Amino acid sequence: MDSFIYTSRPGRVVFGQGKVKTLPDEVDSLGVSRCLVLCTRQQVFDAKKLTDLLGDRAIGIFDNATMHTPVHITEEALEMAKTQKADSVVSIGGGSTIGLGKAISIRTGLPHICIPTTYAGSEMTPILGETVDGQKTTRSHPDIQPAVVIFDVDLTMSLPVGLSMTSSINAIAHAVEALYAVDTNPVIQMLAADGIRSLAEALPTIRQDPSSVSARTKAQYGAWLCAICLGSTKMALHHKICHVLGGSFNLPHAETHTIVLPHALAYNASSCPQAMEILARALPNSDGDAIKGLNSLLDKLDMPRDLARYGMQEKDIEIGVQHALSNAYSNPREIEEKPLREMIRRCWAGERAVQDL
């Protein structure tokens, strides 16, 4: 066995149906009593249920969490936290709201309790992506990771089927990159394989029966494992492209990950044979071919394949290429301009991934 380093991440996870009701106890255990609840404008109803649950521990709702965590939105939330004398933040939602909670927490030191309602996985990572003037940058620090995460399947039951699918493929992308990350290790590879397998098994059922509690629970479990992988390894080409395209052209986060994933995997395939073997075993209908297994899953789920539908224009391809080449992330295969350009073009046009461009 090769040598490796494994660093576990601190943080408390509460998992189970109905566990959101333990939120007041988690607040009390942190020794805080003035919680600012964060959400998007689409999830105010959920946020109000939390304030009812918290009672006088809640001091207000900030309902303008925004995709890609624009810094000017963070500044608005910080002002509210200061004015209301918040001593903690509670985020409920997906990556946009969780990102806002992280941004506030790392700037103020306020503890962050996170209640995910999607499968995107930001809640388990010490990573924060923020956008200024259309440029998205990321940073990592242990203090960015939320102090407590509550996974309650009941909060995912109303997640639209389409978003359930793209959010889950986003989670799978985290685990796929962890398989071939420069700092991967056997522990992370086991978590990644189990996370991918759980999601790949749950998603077809959710698509056919969105009310299946067992399938939703399996998906949430798989997403949790995939998120641990993201938080424990360095990101590579897939995440770099998604951050560049999403931040530069305001593309939807989960959908962008879904479209880019097979292309980034195909680009790296020949340079990470062990990762490809593990992935092939985790995906159904792969016949030993990870790319075939991934495409089979995406086809079965009828996933979107082109970025053009979300507003990216052909002229944006070159901008994306140049941004992706700058400050490149570590990657198993050298990042070359010509094949990178063709890969991003294929993502834009919705063409099938081609191995080793």
Side-chain angles (χ1 to χ4, degrees):
M1 179 179 289
D2 294 336
S3 60
F4 64 90
I5 296 173
Y6 171 67
T7 303
S8 62
R9 298 288 182 186
R12 177 175 169 84
V13 172
V14 181
F15 189 102
Q17 188 171 16
K19 288 298 184 180
V20 71
K21 294 177 183 177
T22 67
L23 175 60
D25 294 333
E26 297 301 328
V27 168
D28 291 345
S29 70
L30 290 174
V32 295
S33 59
R34 296 185 61 80
C35 306
L36 177 62
V37 177
L38 311 173
C39 66
T40 64
R41 288 179 175 159
Q42 290 74 35
Q43 290 192 286
V44 172
F45 179 75
D46 291 329
K48 286 182 177 177
K49 287 199 290 187
L50 291 189
T51 60
D52 291 342
L53 192 63
L54 288 168
D56 59 9
R57 299 177 185 85
I59 51 90
I61 296 173
F62 181 87
D63 65 359
N64 198 25
T66 303
M67 186 170 62
H68 303 305
T69 320
V71 169
H72 73 276
I73 297 295
T74 298
E75 290 171 348
E76 291 177 14
L78 284 167
E79 181 60 30
M80 183 174 180
K82 180 180 178 181
T83 301
Q84 299 297 327
K85 298 181 180 179
D87 64 5
S88 54
V89 290
V90 177
S91 62
I92 181 164
S96 299
T97 308
I98 295 167
L100 177 60
K102 289 178 170 183
I104 295 172
S105 180
I106 191 62
R107 285 170 168 81
T108 62
L110 300 183
H112 177 195
I113 299 175
C114 182
I115 305 172
T117 61
T118 72
Y119 308 125
S122 176
E123 65 277 356
M124 294 305 300
T125 77
I127 302 164
L128 172 61
E130 299 180 284
T131 306
V132 179
D133 298 328
Q135 294 291 316
K136 188 169 185 177
T137 58
T138 62
R139 56 175 163 151
S140 180
H141 190 280
D143 292 343
I144 291 173
Q145 187 161 332
V148 179
V149 181
I150 300 175
F151 290 103
D152 188 332
V153 68
D154 290 340
L155 298 176
T156 70
M157 297 305 295
S158 61
L159 189 65
V161 171
L163 184 54
S164 297
M165 299 298 107
T166 54
S167 179
S168 296
I169 301 301
N170 181 14
I172 288 175
H174 302 332
V176 168
E177 278 218 323
L179 288 174
Y180 57 68
V182 66
D183 53 351
T184 192
N185 59 70
V187 176
I188 290 302
Q189 290 178 338
M190 286 191 294
L191 294 176
D194 197 18
I196 292 167
R197 185 179 302 108
S198 297
L199 282 163
E201 291 173 355
L203 292 180
T205 301
I206 293 173
R207 188 161 191 84
Q208 294 299 318
D209 180 13
S211 64
S212 172
V213 174
S214 60
R216 291 279 189 182
T217 300
K218 179 178 278 192
Q220 193 171 50
Y221 168 77
W224 169 40
L225 297 184
C226 292
I228 293 173
C229 296
L230 175 65
S232 303
T233 56
K234 293 181 179 179
M235 294 178 288
L237 177 63
H238 169 87
H239 280 84
K240 176 65 176 185
I241 291 176
C242 291
H243 291 159
V244 164
L245 299 181
S248 298
F249 312 120
N250 201 35
L251 303 178
H253 183 82
E255 289 83 350
T256 301
H257 276 269
T258 298
I259 291 167
V260 171
L261 178 58
H263 296 272
L265 181 64
Y267 183 95
N268 284 323
S270 64
S271 300
C272 53
Q274 183 185 21
M276 297 295 285
E277 290 177 11
I278 297 171
L279 180 57
R281 291 196 296 268
L283 290 169
N285 306 314
S286 71
D287 297 326
D289 182 336
I291 297 174
K292 177 183 177 181
L294 179 59
N295 276 321
S296 175
L297 178 64
L298 295 177
D299 289 342
K300 188 172 187 177
L301 301 177
D302 193 26
M303 302 308 297
R305 293 297 187 112
D306 66 289
L307 293 173
R309 74 175 64 197
Y310 299 112
M312 183 177 175
Q313 300 179 44
E314 188 171 9
K315 65 181 179 63
D316 296 331
I317 295 171
E318 190 59 33
I319 300 173
V321 170
Q322 297 308 318
H323 284 329
L325 287 171
S326 65
N327 299 316
Y329 297 173
S330 58
N331 195 63
R333 177 185 168 189
E334 183 181 356
I335 300 174
E336 304 170 75
E337 183 170 348
K338 185 176 179 180
L340 177 64
R341 182 177 292 106
E342 175 61 10
M343 184 175 69
I344 294 178
R345 188 197 68 77
R346 286 177 175 273
C347 293
W348 167 77
E351 298 176 11
R352 302 288 280 192
V354 175
Q355 187 169 336
D356 298 333
L357 289 170

